[in-house]
Amino acid sequence: MQASDLLNIAKTYGDSVYVYDSEKIISQYKRLTNAFKGVKKIKLNYAAKALSNITILRLMNSLGSGLDTVSIQEVELGLLAGFKPESIIFTPNGVSLEEIEEAAALGVRINIDNLSILEQFGSKHPNTPVCIRINPHVMAGGNSNISVGHIDSKFGISIHQIPHLLRIVELTKMNINGIHMHTGSDILDIDVFLYASEILFETAKSFKNLEFIDFGSGFKVPYKEGDIETNIEELGKKLSSKFNSFCKEYGKELTLAFEPGKFLVSESGFFLAKVNVVKQTTSTVFASVDSGFNHLIRPMLYGSYHKIVNISNTKGRERYYSVVGYICETDTFANNRRINEISEGDILCFHNAGAYCFTMASNYNSRFRPPEVLWHNGKAILIRERETFDDLIRNQIDIKDLFETNKKVALVK
């Protein structure tokens, strides 16, 4: 996409708006499938939590993707978007037995990550196939906020609890059809990931009726020029070889599954925001935009980096700015960042805004969530309208007369 395209979108749909480039999503999907072309059976299950707009889900479905879901609501979104139940896997954490049963009743695949629910579900539904999420105690991801494979993680069943797990399976006679792990996001060291995969292979040997092994995802994408990323091609070559060898030893051709989210949609996304105020203090120049962490919380929540470009002045002289929002909290997007000279009214473009951006937006400070636009075949298509005041109060119950007595007493006094 060109800066002129983005400026036209901001002009048409407003100055705080998310934009997604479908061409980039498609190319990332093809890149990942091509990296594992050496495996006979591969299935990508798009992680809906990264970007759950129903149009994006329909795009993934059209590419042949399955869907990885973490809530019953995401399951229902997937079904509405046209995914077949058997193409959806439900991988929640800390949910009730009732929610898992509700998902199972819809016909989707079930992934359980704790012994308590596993025993309860297996006792009640021994004939329903279940995938088990293992915690390999390997930290292959980035910082502690996005790494979920370490020993203190709330996710998964510890590999040290395998004997207990096997006893539950034996006693309930339940059918285990898959083994799963997810070590965390922003995987850089392929060898560490491959080490974790060996643990998963060893665990898989304890189950005789597997249909698939799910290696999670967490592949790192670049956030700025010169940034390092997961070498998908190298990982594909090495893991495919290990997977094929395991299948030969196992005596059955299994499906190699992944659940990519950020890898598929992060780089496709742009967030556009207008500059309200350029404010000079004794030590800092602030560029305050018509947005805040109500729209994009990742930089404040766990220090994520988003490249910021002034698309209204792409050839201007670079200066140092701290880009902040309009929320009555500290909502700093970037500190002392070199950006082409900014004037009030300019449009700033935040890159890598496709994953975990809109989906984490809120109505804090009673602000409206922004619209979403899909850039597809050279055209801008609105896929979510900007919220209005009616949306803000839609589910509130305004009991106008509740405090009328208090008001009358106050007037008398």
Side-chain angles (χ1 to χ4, degrees):
M1 293 187 68
Q2 303 297 318
S4 58
D5 298 321
L6 293 169
L7 285 170
N8 284 334
I9 289 173
K11 183 178 180 180
T12 303
Y13 298 104
D15 49 57
S16 57
V17 56
Y18 277 99
V19 184
Y20 313 117
D21 185 350
S22 65
E23 185 178 340
K24 183 62 178 179
I25 295 174
I26 294 168
S27 68
Q28 287 294 93
Y29 186 90
K30 290 180 178 178
R31 182 185 171 195
L32 190 52
T33 53
N34 287 337
F36 289 89
K37 61 185 177 182
V39 175
K40 289 185 178 180
K41 296 181 180 180
I42 181 169
K43 186 65 174 180
L44 303 186
N45 298 310
Y46 169 62
K49 62 182 178 289
L51 177 57
S52 57
N53 186 291
I54 193 168
T55 300
I56 300 299
L57 299 186
R58 289 190 184 279
L59 170 59
M60 295 299 181
N61 190 25
S62 74
L63 295 174
S65 174
L67 194 66
D68 175 72
T69 60
V70 297
S71 70
I72 191 66
Q73 291 82 7
E74 285 187 352
V75 170
E76 291 169 343
L77 273 174
L79 294 172
L80 185 61
F83 285 93
K84 295 179 179 179
E86 59 269 25
S87 292
I88 300 175
I89 185 166
F90 184 49
T91 310
N93 174 256
V95 305
S96 67
L97 174 64
E98 289 74 20
E99 184 168 340
I100 293 177
E101 289 178 320
E102 187 178 353
L106 293 172
V108 305
R109 291 176 292 156
I110 302 300
N111 192 2
I112 296 178
D113 84 332
N114 70 87
L115 294 175
S116 174
I117 295 296
L118 182 70
E119 184 172 1
Q120 293 177 64
F121 188 87
S123 298
K124 293 181 65 176
H125 311 282
N127 296 322
T128 301
V130 169
C131 175
I132 297 175
R133 178 172 182 170
I134 301 298
N135 182 348
H137 299 319
V138 174
M139 212 167 147
N143 64 51
S144 59
N145 290 312
I146 54 177
S147 180
V148 297
H150 55 83
I151 196 165
D152 288 327
S153 174
K154 70 170 186 170
F155 299 94
I157 298 172
S158 169
I159 54 171
H160 302 306
Q161 294 176 306
I162 296 300
H164 189 176
L165 189 160
L166 293 174
R167 188 160 64 251
I168 290 173
V169 172
E170 181 182 0
L171 292 174
T172 61
K173 308 299 182 185
M174 64 192 306
N175 176 18
I176 305 302
N177 69 338
I179 296 292
H180 167 276
M181 75 170 183
H182 180 57
T183 58
S185 297
D186 286 356
I187 293 168
L188 296 177
D189 193 330
I190 290 174
D191 290 333
V192 174
F193 187 87
L194 293 173
Y195 171 71
S197 74
E198 291 290 355
I199 296 173
L200 201 60
F201 288 138
E202 191 62 32
T203 303
K205 293 177 183 178
S206 299
F207 304 94
K208 305 304 179 185
N209 299 310
L210 294 181
E211 298 173 5
F212 65 93
I213 298 180
D214 190 331
F215 293 88
S217 183
F219 308 131
K220 189 180 186 309
V221 296
Y223 292 91
K224 51 188 172 182
E225 292 181 13
D227 200 5
I228 52 178
E229 60 180 306
T230 305
N231 189 329
I232 292 297
E233 287 70 28
E234 181 183 356
L235 177 63
K237 183 178 180 180
K238 291 182 176 179
L239 184 56
S240 293
S241 177
K242 289 180 178 292
F243 185 81
N244 289 334
S245 296
F246 174 79
C247 288
K248 187 176 181 180
E249 180 183 354
Y250 190 75
K252 180 181 178 181
E253 207 69 60
L254 302 178
T255 296
L256 188 159
F258 286 111
E259 52 189 50
K262 183 187 295 182
F263 182 83
L264 296 181
V265 299
S266 177
E267 294 174 279
S268 77
F270 305 91
F271 179 61
L272 310 179
K274 184 183 71 175
V275 177
N276 286 335
V277 178
V278 177
K279 179 180 180 179
Q280 173 80 59
T281 68
T282 54
S283 61
T284 304
V285 180
F286 291 100
S288 183
V289 297
D290 200 36
S291 180
F293 67 59
N294 57 315
H295 292 161
L296 177 57
I297 197 174
R298 295 182 73 245
M300 304 82 177
L301 184 62
Y302 42 75
S304 67
Y305 178 97
H306 290 266
K307 180 181 177 181
I308 302 174
V309 177
N310 182 0
I311 58 174
S312 298
N313 185 22
T314 56
K315 297 181 180 180
R317 178 172 62 93
E318 288 186 340
R319 295 187 63 190
Y320 284 95
Y321 296 92
S322 288
V323 181
V324 297
Y326 57 19
I327 294 296
C328 287
E329 306 272 358
T330 300
D331 58 348
T332 304
F333 294 107
N335 275 310
N336 295 318
R337 188 79 64 82
R338 287 176 63 92
I339 303 173
N340 292 352
E341 189 166 11
I342 297 173
S343 300
E344 293 168 1
D346 283 351
I347 302 296
L348 301 188
C349 175
F350 296 73
H351 288 234
N352 285 90
Y356 306 103
C357 292
F358 184 92
T359 54
M360 298 174 77
S362 73
N363 291 121
Y364 188 52
N365 282 190
S366 297
R367 297 287 188 176
F368 305 142
R369 278 176 288 198
E372 294 177 289
V373 171
L374 182 69
W375 182 257
H376 184 65
N377 291 334
K379 294 182 180 180
I381 304 168
L382 184 67
I383 58 175
R384 186 191 297 269
E385 294 182 345
R386 184 182 303 278
E387 288 184 335
T388 65
F389 189 74
D390 287 340
D391 296 315
L392 195 65
I393 63 171
R394 186 176 308 281
N395 293 317
Q396 296 189 44
I397 301 174
D398 184 7
I399 306 176
K400 298 179 181 179
D401 300 328
L402 184 62
F403 304 110
E404 195 62 32
T405 301
N406 292 350
K407 184 178 178 181
K408 291 178 180 178
V409 170
L411 287 173
V412 171
K413 289 183 177 180

